[in-house]
Amino acid sequence: MNLNLSSQIVLNKVPVEIYQPKTAVDRSELTRLEKIDTDIFAKQEEGARHIADVIEQEIRTKQRDGKQCVLGLGTGLSLTPVYEELIRRHHEDHLSFENVVVFNAYEYYPLTQNTKNSSISQLRERFLRHVDIPEQNIFSPDGTVAQDRVNYSCRLYEQRIQSFGGLDVTMLGIGRIGNIATNEPGSTLTSTSRIILIDHVSREEMTMSFGTNEPVPPCSITMGIATILSSKKLFLVAWGEEKADIIQKTVEGPISDQLPASFLQTHNDAHVVIDLSAASKLTRIVHPWLVKSCHWTDKLVRSAVVWLCQLTDKPILKLTNKDYNENGLSELLALYGSAYNANIKIFNDLQHTITGWPGGKPDADDTYRPERAKPYPKRVLVFSPHPDDDVISMGGTIQRLVQQRHTVHVAYETSGNIAVGDEEVARFMHFINGFNQLFGNEQDEVIKQKYQEIKNFLKKKKQGENDPRDILTIKGLIRRGEARTACTFNQIPLSQVHFLDLPFYESGKIEKLPMTEDDVRIVQQLLREVQPHQIYVAGDLADPHGTHRKCTDAVLAAIDEEKRADAAWLKECRVWMYRGAWAEWEIENIEMCVPMSPEELRAKRNSILKHQSQMESAPFLGNDERLFWQRAEDRNRATADLYDRLGLACYEAMEAFVEYKPL
């Protein structure tokens, strides 16, 4: 069973020769805007094996020479695939780490002696305890040292690195603000190991890395930029589209202390290792016509023409031959004969993505429509990772599907219980207790007992303390009730509302359990019951908590299993991917766009507002201060505005979708 099909979602089929050029000449041409050697791989696993190959060779070379191999290692989640590959080689290929010395890149400060979530404990859990590195060869900054001894401790750490001959290979992830280790913006090229205040964005990322609700300490003791750059070889690792923007700035942008990772441009053996998603904003991937002659696919032509419209601030039908020639797109003129022909082609392509009939228009010519006219009505199954992603992402489309008499099912894949604030629990428990007092004469002993237990726990609860199962159950019930209310508002019968409670989510912590075949079987059973003609799944795989990717992987794996079983219903089914609060599809990838009137947009807002626990008090709003309904409206209006500026129809808002085609 393939549990990682989402990693194979590549919307623009990038030719291999673009991201892995065959010759040095091709590479020189393609990467001329890249200032750090950048290796792009189709999958995380391939990139991880590439780095592991280099580290293994370094270790074995040092072993043959009777020397120690000194590694500088970070603890970011992006490094986990590399650690897993090295662990595999240790167990299966007998790669010994006995000659390896490890220096941890940073440590939180201040720490107490019994702190569980130290950086070095994370590194031990993910790598060190699984291999045979001698304990005396493992070094880390001391997060428990007295404040007046921190500077002395940092100097000692630098001296210890030098006593082993310096770092041979250093491997780090990159933060959303371009930090490496915990060198925040403003760090200088000459900085060495020191104490530093952690930026709030970095703290949020580290909370995810903690895997618990425990607060991240305010400071860190980190290797400095100069310390990192002293390494003989450097790897900067990133996966996923959430890192695409910062990777582009690091690799192609100017060197700046506001982007500490950009200092790697000064190193003569630094390598950025990324997957296609993380590479998606690099020029050779997103605008390859600026670096070489292209093989023009329909999507690439659409991407180029839309880019030209935005560059010239013109709608599609006003682009001229001169616009194409002056901006490196003369190949398209040769391909289509004139700007007029190219313009008409792309205008029509985009026009055909717009439909007010997301389930297909019955008794209509569907040659140029995104969805089939038949069968009608359709059975539709919307998968929602959390209990509000359905209305945030495609609330307007759901309303259209219901109004057009399709049978709409909504499947909530997880309880979403950790995203409910304690005050919501207190509010509901006060209501239940009051109800018991008013109408039950306080006869229900279970309510009285649970009320007191929960009241006492919340009163004594420490910051970051995990909730017991009873409170998580109540939080899950709160979100179920909100989801039912939203579905009722959208006229979806409660018999068509499904709560899957996938097991991977129920860790009680931010970090979830691995998604397994048990999760897939639950999804597969629902697919067999509903036998849908349309499936909608989350395509915003860069959500900060990672739940969307696991949920989508579970659905895609279930579809794949049904395909292997040659399920008859799948032959009549199409799978559409939506995006939600975090991002929107690039216009060159949009295959269906559903417009909304002002009234329909307000109705969508009202359905989102039914999820009261996710308004101002929601724990995971991220670093964006807008509420979820505001993000959704801004995103939908921006999509409509882009279509308008390209010279197409002008709508209040639009929801966009991309079709997923099973491999």
Side-chain angles (χ1 to χ4, degrees), residues 606-620:
N606 289 335
S607 65
I608 297 173
L609 291 174
K610 302 302 179 187
H611 296 270
Q612 296 178 19
S613 70
Q614 301 305 293
M615 294 302 105
E616 287 88 343
S617 62
F620 298 107

Side-chain angles (χ1 to χ4, degrees), residues 615-633:
M615 294 302 105
E616 287 88 343
S617 62
F620 298 107
L621 287 170
N623 62 335
D624 188 333
E625 294 183 357
R626 295 172 301 163
L627 301 178
F628 287 130
W629 70 266
Q630 292 171 319
R631 299 184 204 195
E633 287 192 10

Side-chain angles (χ1 to χ4, degrees), residues 189-439:
L189 184 62
T190 57
S191 60
T192 55
S193 297
R194 68 204 187 283
I195 188 171
I196 191 169
L197 186 68
I198 302 175
D199 180 273
H200 74 281
V201 177
S202 300
R203 284 168 60 83
E204 183 181 312
E205 283 189 289
M206 290 172 177
T207 300
M208 301 302 299
S209 182
F210 266 28
T212 71
N213 298 317
E214 185 178 328
V216 175
C219 297
S220 167
I221 299 174
T222 181
M223 286 184 183
I225 299 294
T227 314
I228 292 168
L229 294 178
S230 70
S231 181
K232 298 176 184 66
K233 183 183 292 288
L234 281 168
F235 285 108
L236 189 70
V237 186
W239 319 113
E241 60 191 74
E242 65 268 28
K243 293 296 176 70
D245 282 322
I246 201 65
I247 284 293
Q248 187 275 328
K249 293 173 183 175
T250 298
V251 172
E252 296 184 344
I255 296 174
S256 169
D257 61 7
Q258 294 304 303
L259 189 68
S262 65
F263 286 125
L264 268 63
Q265 294 179 21
T266 67
H267 197 281
N268 63 2
D269 200 3
H271 305 266
V272 172
V273 178
I274 51 181
D275 61 2
L276 274 170
S277 295
S280 61
K281 296 296 178 67
L282 292 179
T283 301
R284 63 166 146 151
I285 302 297
V286 69
H287 299 142
W289 57 85
L290 295 177
V291 293
K292 75 179 297 288
S293 179
C294 292
H295 171 66
W296 290 99
T297 62
D298 285 346
K299 280 192 176 182
L300 192 58
V301 173
R302 191 199 290 190
S303 177
V305 172
V306 170
W307 169 81
L308 185 57
C309 288
Q310 293 171 325
L311 189 68
T312 60
D313 196 25
K314 289 182 178 182
I316 295 172
L317 296 179
K318 287 190 177 182
L319 294 174
T320 65
N321 288 352
K322 182 180 179 183
D323 293 326
Y324 281 80
N325 280 321
E326 288 183 348
N327 293 286
L329 291 175
S330 56
E331 284 186 1
L332 286 183
L333 296 181
L335 184 65
Y336 286 95
S338 69
Y340 176 83
N341 292 337
N343 296 347
I344 286 293
K345 166 71 166 62
I346 300 307
F347 182 88
N348 287 336
D349 282 353
L350 286 172
Q351 185 69 40
H352 293 152
T353 65
I354 303 172
T355 181
W357 297 82
K361 188 173 183 178
D363 303 319
D365 181 1
D366 58 12
T367 305
Y368 297 110
R369 290 180 174 274
E371 255 295 356
R372 306 146 292 167
K374 296 180 180 179
Y376 176 83
K378 290 182 174 65
R379 291 186 299 275
V380 179
L381 180 52
V382 178
F383 283 98
S384 179
H386 299 95
D388 57 353
D389 286 313
D390 55 332
V391 288
I392 289 173
S393 306
M394 53 175 294
T397 302
I398 288 174
Q399 291 167 18
R400 284 284 180 95
L401 289 165
V402 171
Q403 290 164 6
Q404 291 163 5
R405 311 188 70 167
H406 299 287
T407 303
V408 177
H409 293 255
V410 181
Y412 297 105
E413 294 171 270
T414 74
S415 66
N417 53 21
I418 68 162
V420 177
D422 292 341
E423 66 278 5
E424 290 290 318
V425 175
R427 184 164 69 88
F428 275 84
M429 290 306 298
H430 288 325
F431 174 82
I432 294 170
N433 189 57
F435 187 93
N436 187 33
Q437 291 175 350
L438 289 171
F439 300 104

